[in-house]
């Protein structure tokens, strides 16, 4: 249908009012932009770069980067002789995470041996600026079970009780920001929601500040510390089985009854 409509535009334009012509041409422009963005993201080297930057950190890195910056998928900051690249906005991060989620759904099921690195990512990782993986999903589940947040396909909401709980936890919910306050983010590895938006970012920031989570520069995986295990149990009621990257398949996340 779209191809037919586009093909007929040149012949039909003389008989159409200008507003309608603009309405037809706009999808063509949007489609062209979509093709450009998809082509940029679809390149293996560029996709690898974008995936690495989904950890939310700025990294030094080449020719592909110039194209990604020009398309406003990446932003660059210069410090001396170095250039640091990062995902340009939460909107770009959501697009990339959605592509990963769809890819995880559509690929045919097959046996794929997992490395310790893969298991570490599935247990806890950064999704731009918030927490994902089994740990991120467990926190979301705990907050929903306690009536602190409401998550649905339409969005997320923090209840009055949830605002008090998160403030006591140390999250700053009054930050002036244009970003979405609270939203569900479909976790590609767990196929369930974790918490994104300002709320998700603040939960992750606070957990790092408390020393519950440790991050590194060479991977999106984050490590849960001993104090983090105790803190999650005390604050969120989350019990975690002993976790080791090499035996992550045996790790279980559950809510305390």
């Amino acid at each position: 249908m779209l191809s037919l409509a586009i093909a007929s535009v040149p012949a039909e334009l003389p008989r159409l009012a200008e507003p309608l012509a603009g309405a037809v041409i706009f999808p063509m422009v949007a489609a062209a932009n979509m093709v450009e963005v998809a082509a940029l993201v679809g390149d293996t080297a560029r996709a690898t770069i974008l995936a690495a930057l989904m950890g939310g950190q700025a990294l030094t890195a080449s020719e592909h980067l110039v194209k990604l910056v020009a398309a406003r998928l990446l932003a660059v900051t210069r410090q001396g002789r170095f250039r640091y690249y990062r995902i340009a906005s939460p909107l770009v991060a959501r697009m990339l995470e959605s592509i990963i989620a769809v890819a995880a759904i559509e690929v045919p099921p097959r046996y794929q041996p997992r490395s310790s690195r893969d298991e570490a990512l599935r247990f806890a990782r950064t999704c731009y600026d918030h927490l994902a993986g089994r740990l991120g999903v467990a926190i979301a589940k705990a907050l929903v079970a306690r009536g602190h947040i409401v998550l649905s396909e339409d969005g997320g909401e923090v209840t009055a009780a949830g605002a008090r709980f998160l403030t006591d936890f140390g999250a700053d919910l009054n930050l002036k920001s244009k970003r979405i306050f609270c939203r569900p983010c479909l976790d590609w590895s767990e196929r369930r929601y974790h918490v994104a938006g300002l709320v998700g970012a603040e939960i992750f920031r606070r957990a790092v500040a408390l020393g519950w989570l440790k991050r590194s520069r060479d991977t999106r995986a984050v490590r849960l510390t001993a104090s983090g295990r105790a803190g999650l149990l005390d604050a969120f009621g989350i019990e975690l089985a002993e976790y080791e990257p090499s035996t992550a398949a045996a790790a279980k996340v559950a809510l305390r009854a």
Side-chain angles (χ1 to χ4, degrees):
M1 292 296 293
L2 180 59
S3 60
L4 290 176
I6 292 175
S8 65
V9 168
E12 296 295 326
L13 278 181
R15 289 177 286 172
L16 295 175
E18 287 188 6
L20 181 57
V24 174
I25 293 171
F26 176 75
M28 295 174 63
V29 174
N33 291 340
M34 182 174 68
V35 170
E36 180 183 0
V37 171
L40 287 169
V41 176
D43 178 87
T44 301
R46 289 192 286 269
T48 302
I49 292 170
L50 289 167
L53 290 168
M54 277 294 289
Q57 295 172 294
L59 304 176
T60 58
S62 81
E63 163 195 2
H64 291 297
L65 294 172
V66 173
K67 294 181 179 180
L68 294 171
V69 171
R72 298 184 181 180
L73 297 178
L74 294 183
V76 58
T77 302
R78 292 179 176 83
Q79 292 183 5
R81 61 190 183 89
F82 294 105
R83 295 181 180 181
Y84 292 86
Y85 296 84
R86 58 180 174 79
I87 299 294
S89 70
L91 180 63
V92 175
R94 289 200 300 273
M95 176 193 72
L96 295 172
E97 195 69 17
S98 295
I99 292 174
I100 295 172
V102 171
I105 293 173
E106 296 301 328
V107 294
R110 61 173 65 92
Y111 174 70
Q112 293 181 330
R114 296 177 184 171
S115 66
S116 59
R117 184 185 180 91
D118 294 332
E119 292 296 352
L121 283 170
R122 288 174 178 269
F123 179 71
R125 66 181 180 274
T126 52
C127 177
Y128 188 54
D129 60 359
H130 56 272
L131 186 64
R134 286 195 292 269
L135 193 55
V137 168
I139 290 176
K141 184 178 180 181
L143 291 171
V144 169
R146 293 183 170 195
H148 293 328
I149 63 172
V150 178
L151 296 179
S152 70
E153 292 183 357
D154 297 324
E157 178 184 356
V158 177
T159 65
R164 290 192 295 271
F165 169 80
L166 290 171
T167 299
D168 290 342
F169 174 63
D172 187 352
L173 304 184
N174 296 313
L175 287 174
K176 294 182 180 180
S177 174
K178 295 181 180 179
R179 66 179 305 176
I180 295 175
F181 182 67
C182 178
R183 70 173 182 86
C185 184
L186 183 61
D187 197 282
W188 63 261
S189 61
E190 295 301 299
R191 314 310 312 158
R192 289 184 291 171
Y193 290 135
H194 56 250
V195 185
L198 176 65
V199 172
E202 275 297 293
I203 291 174
F204 178 64
R205 179 198 63 78
R206 183 58 177 159
V208 171
L210 290 170
W212 292 6
L213 298 173
K214 299 290 185 181
R215 61 188 305 174
S216 60
R217 291 185 56 86
D218 59 349
T219 176
R220 289 173 60 188
V222 295
R223 180 174 61 84
L224 178 66
T225 65
S227 62
R229 292 179 185 279
L232 287 173
L233 178 61
D234 182 59
F236 292 87
I238 298 174
E239 294 180 348
L240 295 170
E242 189 65 25
Y243 173 75
E244 295 294 340
S246 60
T247 58
K252 297 180 180 179
V253 180
L255 297 180
R256 182 171 56 188

